[in-house]
Amino acid sequence: MKDSIIIGLLQNTAILLAFAMLYESFWIKNENSKTIIAKILTGFFLGGICVLLMFTPWTLVPGIVFDTRSVMISISGLFFGPIPAIITMAIAGLVRWYIGGDGQWMGIAVIVSSGTIGLLWRKYRPNWKTKKYYLELLVMGIIVHVIMSICTLFLPTNNIFPTIKTIALPLILIYSPATMLLGIVMLKQYKNWQNKLAQLKLVETERRLSQILESGNIVSLLLNRDGTINYCNNYLLEITGYTREEVNGKNWFELFIPKDIMEDVLKVFYKNLNSINSYKNYENIIITKYKSKLFISWYNISLLSENNEIIGTASIGVDVTSVKSYERNLKEKNAEIESQNEEYKQINFELQIAKEKAEESERLKSAFLANMSHEIRTPMNGILGFAGLLKKPNLSIDKQKEFIEIIEKSGTRMLNIISDIIDISKIESGTVKVKISETNINEQLEYLNTFFKPEAEVKGIKLGYKTTIPKNIIIKTDREKLFAILTNLIKNSIKYTKVGEIEFGCNVKSESSLEVLEFYVKDTGIGIPKDRQKAIFERFIQADIEDKMARQGAGLGLAITKAYVELLGGEIWVESIEEVGSTFYFNIPYNYEIKGNDIVTYQAKNKTQNFNIVILIVEDEEVSEKLIAIEVESFSKKILYARNGVEAVQICRENSDIDLIFMDMKLPEMDGYDATRQIRQFNKDVIIIAQTANALLGDKEKAINSGCNDYVSKPFSQNFLIELIEKFFSKK
């Protein structure tokens, strides 16, 4: 009997060793990449081994047969996983069911419980291999075989106690350690394979590291603690021009590092020697054998001995010389682009300002055109309307006089608007000239007071002036422009003042060691909002663009005034409070002299005598022709008429006694310029006065250059014509 037990144990042991060899040879090499088919085939193979164990049992006592299926199945679940273990349990269970007998269900229960415990241990104790694995395996073996003892409950009742009494001790003392030993054998196989795999990986890593160190674009360097070169790769030799014999054993810093940065580089090196931390992306220049400079970006780590002492440094570097060059070029380009961007920003800013000015100008132009339409149509309505009323029969002398005065006022108003437009166009073209002459300020102020007093009194406004300048002071400035400035300001004050008073005057002021004349016009008018006080000096702008009170004016007066003040070298400003009043100030520099006690006076000229001259009126407009004829009728002997330049030349050829020609410059067929040139070819003495409604800059010079003696712009008064004729015919 003993022989049969020993033979059975040897057979089971041999089978279990074969089982362990299967694990080492087939399973652990590719455990994580096994396919489902491979796992199924493994399950069938393990099931065959289990069946083989079941058919090689040994008899401990009559009626009780032992085999090591519980050991093999529990270890299968632990090492092979679910699919092979479940297939093994299924095959072993079917075979045990087929064998039958009293222990049929106990055998099946042992098979299922052993495999299940192995699988549960694998799932819920995943770290059992790294901790006290022998204890883990022993505990699992004890649990498996305690459960196996419990499975005796599946035996017939009269066999349960005798069986437990017989198998309990062998299960605990033999089967549990056997489970542990088989597990240790297979675990050793697993670890041996892992070590072998680690060695293979280490060899591969060393091979790859060697390839990296000798790669064509990375610098590899090993330095000893004293800075001598222990190793460098071929790439470093290639880019620096040295041979290995010239480099090995030499001091890295003395051979490669420029003196001006050596101190900083040494600091990094010694810092590495005193710390196991690495210093990444440190860049420095190295000098080649041919004294050129290279930029290298380093990654440094400390090299440790077996005793964990720092014995040097290992460095991997990348040649970033071209990158540095690109960065430098990029920086220069960025600076250039940044400069251009600043220029573009400035240009955009200026364009934005120009756009806003253009939009404002467009808005003002629209407001101006609307205002001009109103300003021109209103007096035209008066002129045409009352001219039509004059045609009615049986008008009284008083009514005729009233209508004529209205027509005259409307014409004056229209002429003022046109004059303002012409003046602003001259100012904007920069062709207005300053004509310095002697001027008596007090006389001008007194004249303005006399001139505007009737207009002010009609509105119930008190008008007066004050001056601190002596009467005998004559200043040198542009008399006409100064007069125009004061006239515009006083007219403005009368226009915007309903009640109260207006005062104007002049004082001497000192500004920055320079004496100037400061003029002022003060009123008790409607005032100007603070946010509009600068805008009113711009062209086409009044204090209220919408002009809710419908006041007359093109909004050009103050723009012209400001331009004239600046032409005279001064400045203009306003102080104003809404509904209280405004004070306009302006100053001008001046030269002066004292004329004793003399006061210049002006006397009216005598009425022009009858010169009995022959006059040719060249005019294509019937109304203008008739107006000139009426105004010169009193001192002419004969008046001839021409409607175009061709007729004018022909009449002059036929009438050599013509003394004076009024030549309109804009004529059909032949204009006044060409007609004048042709007349001058055969008559050098006749007086030719150019007349035009354009009155634009350059018209007078063009007319004089074509041969005219003088120039008048429409409309003109009879007194002006009398003065002009006296100029040319008084001596005659």
Side-chain angles (χ1 to χ4, degrees), residues 140 149 499 666:
M140 188 188 81
S149 299
V499 294
K666 187 176 181 181

Side-chain angles (χ1 to χ4, degrees), residues 205-219:
T205 300
E206 289 177 351
R207 185 183 67 80
R208 291 182 180 179
L209 179 59
S210 177
Q211 288 179 341
I212 291 172
L213 292 177
E214 290 299 335
S215 63
N217 57 357
I218 295 177
V219 175

Side-chain angles (χ1 to χ4, degrees), residues 38-91:
K39 291 177 180 180
I40 292 171
L41 291 174
T42 301
F44 277 103
F45 196 77
L46 294 177
I49 293 174
C50 188
V51 170
L52 186 60
L53 286 171
M54 292 167 62
F55 282 101
T56 56
W58 71 90
T59 303
L60 184 62
V61 294
I64 298 177
V65 179
F66 275 90
D67 61 56
T68 54
R69 80 185 78 160
S70 59
V71 175
M72 186 260 182
I73 293 174
S74 61
I75 291 298
S76 296
L78 182 62
F79 280 88
F80 287 91
I83 294 175
I86 291 171
I87 293 173
T88 300
M89 287 188 289
I91 292 172

Side-chain angles (χ1 to χ4, degrees), residues 253-280:
F253 304 99
E254 293 176 359
L255 189 61
F256 287 99
I257 304 302
K259 291 182 180 180
D260 57 336
I261 65 169
M262 187 178 293
E263 185 178 350
D264 294 333
V265 177
L266 282 170
K267 283 181 182 178
V268 175
F269 177 71
Y270 288 123
K271 193 172 183 180
N272 248 13
L273 292 179
N274 295 320
S275 173
I276 60 173
N277 295 325
S278 60
Y279 297 91
K280 301 177 182 179

Side-chain angles (χ1 to χ4, degrees), residues 20 29 38 45 56 90 99 125 154 164 166 190 209 269 272 379 448 490 525 543 550 634 689 730:
K29 291 182 180 180
F45 196 77
T56 56
I99 293 172
R125 302 291 294 174
F154 289 96
I164 290 177
T166 303
Y190 173 80
L209 179 59
F269 177 71
N272 248 13
L448 288 165
I490 295 170
S634 60
I689 307 298
S730 59

